[in-house]
Amino acid sequence: MSDKEAPPQSTASGGDRISALPDGVRELVLSFLPAHEAVRMAVVARSWRDLWMRSPALRITEWGSFDKFNQFVECLLRLRCTAPVSGHHPSSDPRAAPALLDSCHFNFGTLDFFNYENMIQNEDIYKKLVNYWFKCALCCQVRVLQYCFSQDCGFRLELVDLTLISGHLTKLELAGVSLTDDNVDLSGCPVLWDLKVEHCYIEIWEIQSPYLQHLRMANCSFLIMSGRTLIRVPSLISLELTECSGRAPFLDSMPSLAAAVVTFYSDDSDDRCRLSSIDVCGSDDCKGCECYYYADSSTDRINCLLLNGLSEATNLELSAYPETVVFRRDLKFAHTFGKLKTLVLADWFVADDLSALIWFLHHSPILEKLTLHISKVHENAITAEQICKLPEPSVASSLLKIAEIKCHQVDGIVIEILKILTAYGVPVEQINIQCSAGSGYVNFKCTGFSVK
């Protein structure tokens, strides 16, 4: 009888119950351990010797001096590779042969060995190593790859040459890194459908993938000062672009887009103008107006940074500080939102006048539900000279039956919004208002409203 088939030996505690688990279960258990602990489990018994090579996941975290850690990671990835890497070939022994990786997680950055002074002195070495580890993980034919550095590193390590080729990668997560190459080209990953980028520095001109379906970019800094990052993802179904700083990216056409959430509440946004002007204010020290447009200001495609790329969405949320000008300036060149059914607008649409609200009501012919968030109390109503001319009721979408207003109190702005909605034919009893009252909320419906 082979060692693998031998019954588990008894221990002083009453027996080795883990070794009695069926094939596949022990490998799954190891997948939840940090990689260095999973490898150490080889000392439990001979039957455990190669189990870590068949574990469906690797979780690589720091565990000591960087030199020892580097040696461990290099050896670990070489042994798990199912394709040759730098002269290494997988074993022909079926029992020792590595299984395909479902997921590989790099998660490190605490200061116990990635200390700031050491990283400054050896930045080039670290950069080469982390890029090598990244490519080795792809050679393991991994399906889900997570590459995360904690922000306490002091700065973000660079990932370069992200022209990726993989027939297995389905999901990629990047956090706490700096993307500094000319572009991120994911065209060589035909099954890569999900990309998540968080807390990263974006210093690239283009992100492109003809296959990507879900994209989330959160708390990232777009750092190209004299231009904008182009995002070209024509098959995208869902988009989250939230709390990013720097200069807003340019979104190319996304004809399959179903849902999008785009928010700009970062204090470090370079698309804010103190005058909240639709046109550039002319001030020499205004970041929001300096080099605002993507390139040639005479072309519609370039001027409309975000809204034309979002115009095929069914569900859309657009939120930003009132001083953020990118949405409002886009309205000059934006297309009709012919598929839009659910729309959420927060804060930015209030600035100067309510023309942005009127624009969406006029250019969303099948809109069914509208939600408006107003986080600031406005002491005065918009004057008659400021408000845009109200439309004729005949241009209203007959499908718009539910409107929600979420605010601190019913102030002058809310009154003007009610006037606009009723002019668009929204039944007054279908307008729900939620006001914050201390630590709670008061919900009520209008039962009547008269326009004077």
Side-chain angles (χ1 to χ4, degrees), residues 382-384 387 390 415-416 418-420 422 448-452:
I382 296 175
T383 65
I387 197 72
L390 295 179
I415 297 300
E416 296 299 338
L418 290 173
K419 293 179 182 179
I420 292 172
T422 54
F449 183 79
S450 60
V451 179
K452 296 182 180 180

Side-chain angles (χ1 to χ4, degrees), residues 19-39:
S19 293
L21 294 172
D23 289 345
V25 176
R26 289 180 295 173
E27 291 90 332
L28 182 61
V29 171
L30 291 181
S31 71
F32 292 99
L33 296 177
H36 58 276
E37 293 184 8
V39 172

